[in-house]
Amino acid sequence: KVNTSLTTIGLSYNKIGDEGGKAIGEGLKVNSSLSEINLRNNNIGDEGGKAIGEALKVNISLTWIA
């Protein structure tokens, strides 16, 4: 939430799940430096996906997500 220098992060294959997806969503709402995030193969379900989707409505820096 408070990091201002990270621009790219790869989180694939980390078993993040819905709770992790919700936490990522909260971070994306306020982060203004991250431009790329890789979330492949993490078992993020409907709730986590919804939280990330809501965050993308307000995040203006993220340009690539997988």
Side-chain angles (χ1 to χ4, degrees):
K1 284 185 176 181
V2 296
N3 184 295
T4 59
S5 60
L6 188 66
T7 60
T8 304
I9 190 165
L11 297 171
S12 60
Y13 296 95
N14 279 291
K15 300 179 183 178
I16 290 172
D18 275 334
E19 290 304 311
K22 291 176 187 177
I24 289 169
E26 288 301 310
L28 289 176
K29 284 181 184 177
V30 296
N31 183 287
S32 61
S33 63
L34 193 65
S35 63
E36 297 182 10
I37 188 169
N38 183 341
L39 297 171
R40 289 184 179 119
N41 300 308
N42 274 297
N43 299 321
I44 297 172
D46 293 344
E47 293 300 312
K50 182 178 176 183
I52 292 169
E54 289 296 316
L56 294 178
K57 289 181 181 179
V58 296
N59 181 293
I60 57 170
S61 65
L62 197 64
T63 59
W64 184 84
I65 187 170

